[in-house]
Amino acid sequence: MDQNFASSSLSKGVLLSVKFYTSCRREPRERKERRWFSWPNDRHRFRNEMDAALLDRIVQVITAAHSGNASIDERRAEVGLFDELRNSSQIQVAIQVAVALATGTHGHEVAGSGGNEYVSSQLTLMGYGVLQHVAGNRWDELSAGERDAMVGLCFSLLEGLCGGGAQQQQQQQQQQARSALMFALRSKCAVLFAIVIKRHGAAYASESIKRLVADEAKYVNVPHAKSAYQAIVSLVFKYLVDEVYMFAGDMGGVHARDMLVCMATWFPEILRFTVNALEDNFKVYGEAQDAYGKKNAMFAVKTALESGALYGEVAPAGAMYASGFIKAAGYFLSMPDSISIQNPQDLADIKSSSCEILKCVGSRRKTSDENQEDFSRGMQEVGMFLTQVAGELLKNNPEERLSFEGEDEEFAFEVVDAMVELGRTHLQDALPDEAGRFAFLEHMLSFAKHSYMPLASRSLGLWYKLLQESASSVASGGQRSVLPSEAVLFLMQLAAEQLQQRNCKVPQLDDEVPIYFDDFEEFKEFITAYRQRLSGIVRYSAVALPDQALHTTVSRLTDAISQAKVATNSVSASAEAQSETMEAARGALEAAAVFSESTVKAVWDAVNAKALSDEAKMARKHAFCQVLEPIYSATIQLRVGDAKLLLSQAKALSSLARLITLRPDLAKDAYSNIQDMLVNCIPLNPGEHEVPPPLPSEPWREGSQARVAVATVFLDYALMCQEGFLSLLEEIAGNVSQLYEAGRIRPGERNLLMDGILASAVTGSPQLQETVIDWSLQMTKASWASASVQQAISGPESFVKTYLPTRMEGSDVRVGGAKERYRMNHELHHIERTMRRMATDCSRQVLTKHMMWIVPHSLQVLLCISALTTARGRELLGPAVGILDLSQQEKALYLRRVGVRLAPVPGDANAGDYSSVGGETVSSARGWLRHCMEYVAHFLGLLTSVVPACLSTIPKLNEAGSLIYSHVESMDHRILRIFVRHLTIPAVRDCPAEHMAAWVLPSLSILAPHMKVRLATAWQSLNPAALGQDGFPQVSAHGQFSAHGAPQVNDEDVINDRLVRELSGEYADLLKAVADRQSQVPLLQNFFVADPQGGLALAHAALEGMLRPDESAYRFAFFCKALVQLAPSDAALYQFVGSELLYTAISSLSLEVMACRHSEVLAMIRDIVMQQVDDPQSQVHKVLPMLPGVGPENLAAFFTAMKSTRSDKEQRNQVKLFLLSSGGTGAFTALEKWKPPGGASTVQGVKKRPARVPKSQAEAEADDHLSGEITRHLLSST
């Protein structure tokens, strides 16, 4: 190994060593069968003479693993060696080896020349890693003497790392030569010390802290040693706080409480020590002449500041102030230029940690026993320092310095975050004087107006919170506001300006992504959140100042309308100038519409506030109308031909819909203008209303979207003022019919207008509702009754011929029948909307008579669509068979690749087109098929809740129930999930009992045996390499690399995994609905009587579901619990519950996915035991003895304990204790972290279960390989 390689390897090794802290906190891995060396039989504790052969083997393994040409087996050997040391059953020998490695006293020279230093460092780090693991995870295995010895070892290691005395010169030279390793070892030593102190308990913690503080005096005359000591002890205190407050799971309740009391007692001394260390070492840094001395002191300074940032999260703010930590942080944030720090990164780290201290302290609340004066002064210091720092940042060209890759970009983020935390929590306390508070808020406003959006966005959090508090105060009738009215008005106007200037529209995939965002998805997420935050500021400002908000809305809409008129009527000589004018008008009108949406709703809520008297409400409503009516008239009379302008105009009109509530006399004029905008602003070409273009262009899409938005305005107005349109419904209905017959509106727009008519008719008389429903459905009824439509849905052949005929244009597939598909799509959609809108008592009878022709026709459509999934159906589709597959967008969603431009699909020129279901591409036909399935499933699912009486009128109802799943064998998971979710589950939940046998049971009889087989087969087909930790799938990339015979991980594996999990979850919800449905005879019992084999299929599917590594596992348990309640009524079910169900329930507790839901399973086990414990012939008495470590005495004690109490909670605890004690460590993953509330179990003498069988070497290597493959795919994902 050459010297350069050794040097670079040493650097990498030291950098990686910092990860040991995290790794040692994890649970130990299971021991592998393969052993890299043999342990000696001698088990003397802390021997002075080590087994030479053992240490030789360790050195050889490490040396081989870190050689330049190390093989994968040699590197695995190092990992196996580390695991062997950590998990050895001979823990004393492991400690002895680790001490020798950590202290370098093993007495063995490392072979080789260039790599000695690096390999030695790896031996040392391994020793520390083993010691940390033993202290953190195997402390209970140590005797009292060994625990005391661990404390002494920690002090010895600490002193060894500091040096001093006669050895100072030699130690200093060694440290300079190995400085990187020494700094890493200090951190390792501190982690070990902190873990040992925590595990040893509060009494030892107090003594250790006291000694650590006192021993500082030993190094007063040795500067380098003192710096090292202060740095290490500061790290010890930091990690100790981390262990006690963040990693308290391995401490019992009393132990944890005592440690918290101990830390609270010693915090003043810990803070004092750390501040002294900070001051001493910063002074040493300035005086030191040698590079190592400066580096040593700087390490101590940064360590102390990092510790302070952590203390700020848990220590009382008053204690932080009294210790001088806040003052020190403020000093470092505003250090004079005369103080020179050589390394820019050191300066950045110091400022970052100092800012973090102020941020943490500024977010703290006062504790009950805290000194009020110290707390207040501390907050005032934080406010003063942050104001000063912000003022300095905003000087000297802040636009450049605080922008992307600017000199102070990251620091500005940290300062703003700290100011937001302080301002949200303690604005008044931290800045009691008005001048200081004004300066603080002025700086935050400057940040909010900064051109760098990520920085401006961070500052909005403060204003959002302050305005929210002001709005809440006003809404509750209070007078106190955090901000003065002038500031609220300024913020409202600022947010409006930002909405317009930033062009905060939702980004599209074609938009340019700013350089400071990694990808489109991040950009889109940021802009969406930024826009919402600005809208929130506008909304809360409007609540606080409703009158000013309305006038500002009027002003902005007036300006935007003026710009829109200029852009529309502009006849510029320059196309470029005209384009700029149009873009400015678009931005202004969109921003004004967003502003209006936020303000008008907020003011409307304030107008109707409960705290107001009736007179006050009337006065505010009058003012509301007076202010908004002129701008409403100007907005609704605006006529533009640009699609984007029209879309924004429609949004603005929708935001003013509340005006119509107070002025119903405007309803007629409103509809007249809406109809004129819809028909004339972007008129349709002849024949365009029947079917869209085969390949819709972008302008066509924008125009279509704008027209839909205009039609939606009428729906919004009808919902807000239902009575206002009642007298106009006949006239509006006639106009809609006339426009549609003349080809001036599309079917989707007609549906929206009819939806508005229905929404208004809901408040009318029964006769009016009947008339409106009959009118809205007459066109669909006539269409469906035609011979051509009846012939088209008579079978899959005629269905494909009419709706999905295909032809080839070069290499592209073209799907005909667009006109017929377009019409059917909107007919089905209108029926669904009608059922949802007219769910009133008056309209149910009218809808019932229409179901006689709607339901049979819809079922026939559903049968034809499901028949396409069969082999014959796929053959009929021919080149268009791709309509049954996932679209590119759906695949991207399953793979979580949102915002990635999709690759073109061969044979489909416009893949992913969902804007028009009437197009001629495969994607359009796919979208149509999906929409039709969902519409039919939705309104068939609504039958039982909206029009249950219709079930008596449907001919051959029992055949209809079976018809739905007649092609279930060929359906893919997605289609089947749609049927189960939207059709069967609502039917199970809401179907009247008298129709259950005909409408629900036939479907269950088909689904039960099929789903049992389907799910079992589907889960067996999953590629285990596509699963991540805990069995959950990870996003895979496009790579197909495979090695060592392991299965490949590709996109299809991940998609299939998610589809199977979705279907499993949906089926679990169906079974839960079946279990929950109660009537005179529960549905589950009724089904077992009607179809015993189907009932058993449901039960077996639920049992299998409980044992799968999926989130749906606990949901299957709900169904199983219903089986327990039903068991006494059936002998076979009684035996099934006591045997298979009990066995499965116990086994399911080994799944990690049950960790948060194990209480339901324990309750079920309790129910089974209590149900059958007194029956000596029950299967319970055969299953429980099968548990390892359970004997007759244990079982008898358990049964006695269960019968001795009637408390459900106590019985559940007894079950938990019994299973934990019988299964042993690791047997029941879901129960591992549970602690018994009352201490010891009442079940005595239970034997411990032997350790789990370790994985074979082949299994371990396969696991390692698959983990690496998943990581590689994730990193290469596009």
Side-chain angles (χ1 to χ4, degrees):
M1 186 190 309
D2 62 282
Q3 187 65 32
N4 291 335
F5 178 82
S7 176
S8 62
S9 298
L10 173 61
S11 177
K12 293 177 182 178
V14 171
L15 290 175
L16 290 174
S17 69
V18 299
K19 298 182 180 179
F20 272 64
Y21 173 65
T22 303
S23 66
C24 78
R25 300 301 301 134
R26 298 174 182 166
E27 292 299 317
R29 298 183 182 177
E30 293 190 23
R31 297 175 57 199
K32 300 179 173 66
E33 287 184 349
R34 182 176 177 181
R35 301 172 64 100
W36 306 106
F37 57 88
S38 299
W39 289 100
N41 294 324
D42 191 353
R43 300 183 58 177
H44 292 238
R45 301 187 184 106
F46 298 89
R47 299 177 304 172
N48 292 322
E49 296 180 2
M50 300 299 299
D51 189 294
L54 172 61
L55 285 171
D56 263 343
R57 181 56 180 153
I58 293 173
V59 172
Q60 290 172 13
V61 169
I62 299 299
T63 303
H66 293 279
S67 63
N69 56 352
S71 67
I72 188 171
D73 287 334
E74 288 173 328
R75 297 186 186 277
R76 285 176 179 165
E78 181 190 17
V79 177
L81 169 66
F82 186 57
D83 284 346
E84 286 285 348
L85 285 170
R86 293 195 311 171
N87 303 324
S88 169
S89 59
Q90 303 182 49
I91 189 171
Q92 291 79 13
V93 177
I95 294 174
Q96 198 170 1
V97 171
V99 170
L101 294 175
T103 58
T105 58
H106 46 78
H108 285 69
E109 294 296 330
V110 179
S113 56
N116 291 14
E117 184 179 344
Y118 175 58
V119 174
S120 296
S121 70
Q122 293 304 307
L123 292 170
T124 305
L125 293 174
M126 176 176 285
Y128 272 102
V130 172
L131 290 173
Q132 289 175 7
H133 178 83
V134 169
N137 297 291
R138 304 184 65 181
W139 185 261
D140 294 338
E141 300 177 38
L142 301 179
S143 66
E146 290 168 343
R147 295 177 183 180
D148 293 342
M150 286 289 284
V151 177
L153 172 64
C154 290
F155 277 104
S156 177
L157 290 172
L158 190 156
E159 293 172 0
L161 289 173
C162 295
Q167 300 176 345
Q168 178 184 359
Q169 187 66 31
Q170 180 182 0
Q171 182 72 22
Q172 179 178 342
Q173 293 174 354
Q174 292 177 353
Q175 288 173 334
Q176 291 175 359
R178 306 174 65 203
S179 58
L181 175 63
M182 291 304 297
F183 290 132
L185 293 182
R186 291 176 186 178
S187 179
K188 300 289 287 183
C189 177
V191 171
L192 174 62
F193 213 143
I195 296 173
V196 169
I197 291 176
K198 181 190 76 167
R199 297 308 301 269
H200 218 338
Y204 282 90
S206 295
E207 291 297 323
S208 297
I209 294 172
K210 182 178 180 181
R211 179 178 169 184
L212 286 170
V213 172
D215 282 357
E216 181 186 13
K218 296 180 179 179
Y219 304 96
V220 171
N221 299 319
V222 190
H224 289 328
K226 182 180 180 181
S227 293
Y229 183 84
Q230 289 176 326
I232 297 174
V233 174
S234 295
L235 282 173
V236 171
F237 292 155
K238 172 188 173 182
Y239 292 137
L240 181 58
V241 170
D242 206 28
E243 285 288 329
V244 172
Y245 287 89
M246 309 300 176
F247 294 98
D250 53 358
M251 295 189 293
V254 176
H255 186 177
R257 183 178 65 250
D258 291 345
M259 285 300 301
L260 290 173
V261 172
C262 172
M263 294 304 299
T265 303
W266 281 96
F267 255 134
E269 198 64 31
I270 291 174
L271 293 174
R272 183 198 61 78
F273 176 91
T274 311
V275 171
N276 288 342
L278 179 61
E279 295 174 351
D280 292 346
N281 285 282
F282 192 65
K283 181 179 179 181
V284 170
Y285 176 83
E287 297 174 352
Q289 299 300 317
D290 60 300
Y292 176 76
K294 284 186 173 294
K295 188 173 184 179
N296 198 33
M298 181 53 65
F299 178 80
V301 169
K302 292 164 65 173
T303 297
L305 286 172
E306 291 168 3
S307 302
L310 181 60
Y311 301 155
E313 296 181 8
V314 294
M320 292 291 288
Y321 164 76
S323 67
F325 239 127
I326 299 176
K327 195 180 297 290
Y331 171 81
F332 283 114
L333 284 174
S334 54
M335 277 188 298
D337 296 335
S338 57
I339 303 296
S340 175
I341 295 181
Q342 297 175 351
N343 189 339
Q345 186 59 50
D346 288 338
L347 179 60
D349 292 342
I350 287 175
K351 287 191 172 184
S352 177
S353 297
S354 300
C355 197
E356 185 68 19
I357 291 173
L358 298 187
K359 175 185 173 182
C360 293
V361 174
S363 64
R364 298 299 306 279
R365 299 285 184 179
K366 180 182 176 299
T367 59
S368 58
D369 57 345
E370 192 169 352
N371 183 282
Q372 177 62 47
E373 185 176 356
D374 285 348
F375 179 84
S376 299
R377 289 183 176 178
M379 291 301 165
Q380 290 171 19
E381 279 195 353
V382 173
M384 177 187 67
F385 287 130
L386 287 177
T387 304
Q388 292 175 357
V389 174
E392 291 297 324
L393 277 176
L394 292 168
K395 292 180 181 178
N396 303 326
N397 194 16
E399 282 298 318
E400 180 179 343
R401 288 171 47 244
L402 308 186
S403 293
F404 178 63
E405 293 186 345
E407 179 183 349
D408 292 319
E409 177 195 9
E410 294 296 331
F411 184 51
F413 285 162
E414 294 164 352
V415 171
V416 169
D417 289 344
M419 296 178 73
V420 169
E421 287 297 326
L422 180 69
R424 286 162 55 101
T425 315
H426 302 291
L427 181 63
Q428 300 286 350
D429 295 333
L431 300 156
D433 62 295
E434 188 173 345
R437 191 161 57 251
F438 178 81
F440 182 92
L441 295 177
E442 186 179 34
H443 294 331
M444 289 301 291
L445 282 175
S446 298
F447 287 126
K449 293 187 292 184
H450 198 278
S451 61
Y452 186 36
M453 279 202 295
L455 178 62
S457 175
R458 287 173 180 258
S459 68
L460 295 183
L462 171 64
W463 304 117
Y464 190 90
K465 176 66 174 178
L466 295 180
L467 288 169
Q468 188 180 42
E469 292 177 356
S470 298
S472 177
S473 175
V474 172
S476 61
Q479 300 300 320
R480 178 182 178 274
S481 177
V482 177
L483 296 173
S485 57
E486 296 82 1
V488 175
L489 182 59
F490 182 82
L491 286 168
M492 183 195 304
Q493 295 171 344
L494 174 65
E497 292 171 1
Q498 296 297 305
L499 280 170
Q500 183 172 344
Q501 293 174 5
R502 309 279 194 185
N503 191 22
C504 295
K505 64 182 181 64
V506 178
Q508 304 300 316
L509 198 56
D510 293 331
D511 293 345
E512 183 179 355
V513 178
I515 192 174
Y516 42 82
F517 294 111
D518 291 337
D519 51 35
F520 171 80
E521 184 60 24
E522 183 185 359
F523 174 47
K524 181 179 179 180
E525 183 179 349
F526 171 84
I527 290 295
T528 303
Y530 185 60
R531 177 171 169 161
Q532 289 175 348
R533 188 65 62 85
L534 288 173
S535 299
I537 289 175
V538 171
R539 182 171 64 253
Y540 291 129
S541 301
V543 174
L545 299 175
D547 295 337
Q548 294 90 328
L550 287 182
H551 285 94
T552 304
T553 300
V554 170
S555 174
R556 294 204 161 270
L557 279 174
T558 301
D559 292 343
I561 290 171
S562 298
Q563 292 187 53
K565 289 180 178 179
V566 170
T568 301
N569 301 321
S570 173
V571 185
S572 175
S574 169
E576 182 179 354
Q578 189 171 358
S579 176
E580 291 178 357
T581 303
M582 181 61 72
E583 282 300 322
R586 289 170 177 170
L589 190 55
E590 182 179 18
V594 173
F595 187 86
S596 180
E597 287 174 350
S598 300
T599 55
V600 175
K601 182 181 184 305
V603 173
W604 179 257
D605 293 340
V607 165
N608 294 279
K610 294 181 180 180
L612 296 177
S613 63
D614 292 341
E615 293 78 8
K617 288 182 181 179
M618 290 301 297
R620 288 197 175 188
K621 289 179 180 179
H622 179 70
F624 185 88
C625 292
Q626 276 193 323
V627 174
L628 289 185
E629 185 176 350
I631 193 61
Y632 159 77
S633 299
T635 306
I636 204 167
Q637 291 170 10
L638 175 67
R639 295 294 180 268
V640 295
D642 179 73
K644 293 181 179 179
L645 282 177
L646 184 61
L647 178 62
S648 296
Q649 181 188 4
K651 291 180 180 179
L653 286 171
S654 292
S655 72
L656 300 172
R658 291 163 181 82
L659 175 67
I660 308 298
T661 305
L662 301 178
R663 292 289 309 277
D665 56 298
L666 297 175
K668 183 174 183 179
D669 179 71
Y671 175 76
S672 177
N673 279 283
I674 291 170
Q675 177 250 315
D676 182 59
M677 291 167 59
L678 178 62
V679 170
N680 296 320
C681 285
I682 304 181
L684 298 180
N685 297 320
E688 191 179 348
H689 73 291
E690 295 182 338
V691 62
L695 298 175
S697 63
E698 191 62 30
W700 184 92
R701 296 175 192 274
E702 292 176 352
S704 176
Q705 185 181 10
R707 288 176 60 93
V708 168
V710 172
T712 306
V713 174
F714 172 66
L715 174 59
D716 293 337
Y717 283 15
L719 290 171
M720 292 301 298
C721 185
Q722 295 171 315
E723 293 82 359
F725 289 93
L726 275 178
S727 61
L728 306 171
L729 290 186
E730 183 177 356
E731 178 184 349
I732 295 174
N735 179 257
V736 170
S737 298
Q738 182 181 4
L739 291 174
Y740 185 73
E741 290 170 0
R744 306 193 71 180
I745 59 175
R746 296 190 178 100
E749 297 155 5
R750 173 178 174 270
N751 283 355
L752 283 168
L753 296 176
M754 289 195 297
D755 201 4
I757 294 172
L758 292 171
S760 184
V762 167
T763 58
S765 64
Q767 293 78 10
L768 177 64
Q769 293 185 37
E770 180 177 5
T771 301
V772 169
I773 292 174
D774 290 343
W775 167 79
S776 70
L777 294 176
Q778 66 179 359
M779 188 176 296
T780 300
K781 183 177 181 180
S783 171
W784 286 11
S786 66
S788 59
V789 173
Q790 290 296 315
Q791 172 62 28
I793 65 170
S794 61
E797 290 83 0
S798 55
F799 187 83
V800 171
K801 182 178 179 180
T802 303
Y803 297 105
L804 298 167
T806 58
R807 68 181 189 277
M808 299 298 297
E809 289 186 3
S811 60
D812 291 331
V813 180
R814 290 287 174 263
V815 185
K819 180 178 179 180
E820 290 76 12
R821 291 201 308 274
Y822 195 62
R823 181 171 188 140
M824 176 187 282
N825 176 82
H826 291 293
E827 288 171 346
L828 293 174
H829 189 204
H830 176 58
I831 290 174
E832 185 213 3
R833 296 306 305 162
T834 301
M835 290 188 67
R836 292 187 185 277
R837 186 68 66 194
M838 303 303 292
T840 64
D841 293 335
C842 297
S843 61
R844 293 182 194 275
Q845 186 175 357
V846 182
L847 286 174
T848 297
K849 70 177 183 180
H850 287 287
M851 293 302 110
M852 296 180 63
W853 59 270
I854 290 176
V855 172
H857 186 97
S858 302
L859 285 171
Q860 187 61 29
V861 170
L862 208 60
L863 179 63
C864 290
I865 292 176
S866 61
L868 297 179
T869 63
T870 64
R872 174 56 181 161
R874 290 177 174 273
E875 182 182 349
L876 290 171
L877 289 173
V881 71
I883 66 174
L884 301 176
D885 301 329
L886 286 170
S887 70
Q888 291 292 87
Q889 289 95 333
E890 289 172 320
K891 289 182 179 181
L893 288 173
Y894 277 111
L895 295 168
R896 297 172 187 168
R897 295 183 191 145
V898 182
V900 178
R901 188 174 298 280
L902 304 172
V905 177
D908 190 357
N910 196 18
D913 171 23
Y914 272 90
S915 296
S916 169
V917 295
E920 292 190 348
T921 65
V922 171
S923 296
S924 296
R926 181 189 294 116
W928 170 78
L929 201 66
R930 176 69 176 265
H931 291 323
C932 288
M933 282 191 296
E934 290 182 340
Y935 294 152
V936 174
H938 281 159
F939 74 70
L940 289 180
L942 290 170
L943 291 179
T944 54
S945 58
V946 177
V947 283
C950 78
L951 296 177
S952 302
T953 65
I954 298 176
K956 300 181 180 180
L957 182 63
N958 57 338
E959 295 182 8
S962 303
L963 191 68
I964 296 170
Y965 292 107
S966 56
H967 298 296
V968 68
E969 296 289 343
S970 58
M971 291 180 188
D972 64 23
H973 297 330
R974 292 177 304 117
I975 296 177
L976 183 54
R977 178 173 174 257
I978 290 173
F979 287 7
V980 171
R981 179 184 182 87
H982 299 300
L983 203 159
T984 306
I985 292 179
V988 168
R989 186 176 57 243
D990 302 318
C991 183
E994 61 269 22
H995 299 299
M996 195 75 73
W999 185 243
V1000 174
L1001 295 187
S1003 297
L1004 290 180
S1005 293
I1006 296 174
L1007 279 176
H1010 171 77
M1011 289 301 294
K1012 178 184 180 301
V1013 175
R1014 177 186 282 250
L1015 289 178
T1017 305
W1019 277 92
Q1020 290 175 1
S1021 70
L1022 296 185
N1023 184 351
L1027 306 183
Q1029 189 177 7
D1030 302 329
F1032 291 101
Q1034 302 289 338
V1035 179
S1036 170
H1038 299 288
Q1040 303 293 323
F1041 176 82
S1042 178
H1044 301 288
Q1048 297 177 352
V1049 183
N1050 53 44
D1051 289 350
E1052 296 305 319
D1053 292 329
V1054 177
I1055 293 172
N1056 181 49
D1057 183 275
R1058 293 204 168 110
L1059 289 172
V1060 171
R1061 291 177 187 278
E1062 285 181 351
L1063 183 60
S1064 296
E1066 216 63 68
Y1067 192 57
D1069 290 340
L1070 172 61
L1071 296 190
K1072 184 178 183 298
V1074 170
D1076 290 343
R1077 180 60 197 270
Q1078 299 295 323
S1079 56
Q1080 291 183 346
V1081 179
L1083 173 59
L1084 182 57
Q1085 183 176 352
N1086 195 357
F1087 185 59
F1088 264 95
V1089 173
D1091 188 355
Q1093 293 301 317
L1096 286 177
L1098 291 180
H1100 281 290
L1103 263 60
E1104 293 170 3
M1106 283 182 64
L1107 295 177
R1108 294 188 181 115
D1110 184 63
E1111 182 270 341
S1112 65
Y1114 81 91
R1115 286 186 276 170
F1116 282 107
F1118 289 112
F1119 176 81
C1120 294
K1121 190 172 182 180
L1123 293 178
V1124 179
Q1125 298 170 356
L1126 195 62
S1129 63
D1130 185 272
L1133 185 59
Y1134 180 83
Q1135 184 176 6
F1136 175 85
V1137 166
S1139 57
E1140 294 185 52
L1141 179 51
L1142 177 60
Y1143 181 86
T1144 300
I1146 295 174
S1147 301
S1148 70
L1149 292 172
S1150 64
L1151 298 176
E1152 292 187 16
V1153 293
M1154 286 292 192
C1156 297
R1157 297 285 184 171
H1158 66 272
S1159 58
E1160 289 92 343
V1161 181
L1162 290 173
M1164 180 168 57
I1165 296 173
R1166 176 203 63 200
D1167 292 344
I1168 297 173
V1169 171
M1170 295 306 296
Q1171 181 186 90
Q1172 304 188 14
V1173 65
D1174 292 328
D1175 180 5
Q1177 302 302 317
S1178 75
Q1179 296 296 313
V1180 169
H1181 296 278
K1182 298 179 182 178
V1183 172
L1184 292 181
M1186 295 170 58
L1187 290 171
V1190 173
E1193 300 84 1
N1194 316 134
L1195 194 58
F1198 170 62
F1199 287 154
T1200 302
M1202 291 289 289
K1203 290 189 287 185
S1204 65
T1205 178
R1206 291 300 173 187
S1207 167
D1208 290 348
K1209 182 178 179 181
E1210 181 58 30
Q1211 288 175 345
R1212 191 169 64 246
N1213 287 337
Q1214 289 299 328
V1215 171
K1216 188 179 290 188
L1217 287 165
F1218 173 73
L1219 293 177
L1220 282 172
S1221 58
S1222 64
T1225 303
F1228 300 106
T1229 305
L1231 305 179
E1232 280 296 295
K1233 296 183 179 180
W1234 176 79
K1235 306 293 183 190
S1241 168
T1242 57
V1243 184
Q1244 302 296 329
V1246 180
K1247 300 176 182 178
K1248 293 294 183 182
R1249 179 181 177 181
R1252 283 188 287 180
V1253 178
K1255 297 179 183 178
S1256 68
Q1257 177 63 20
E1259 292 172 332
E1261 290 186 356
D1263 287 349
D1264 291 341
H1265 169 71
L1266 295 181
S1267 176
E1269 279 294 279
I1270 292 173
T1271 302
R1272 188 186 67 78
H1273 283 302
L1274 285 172
L1275 293 176
S1276 61
S1277 180
T1278 58

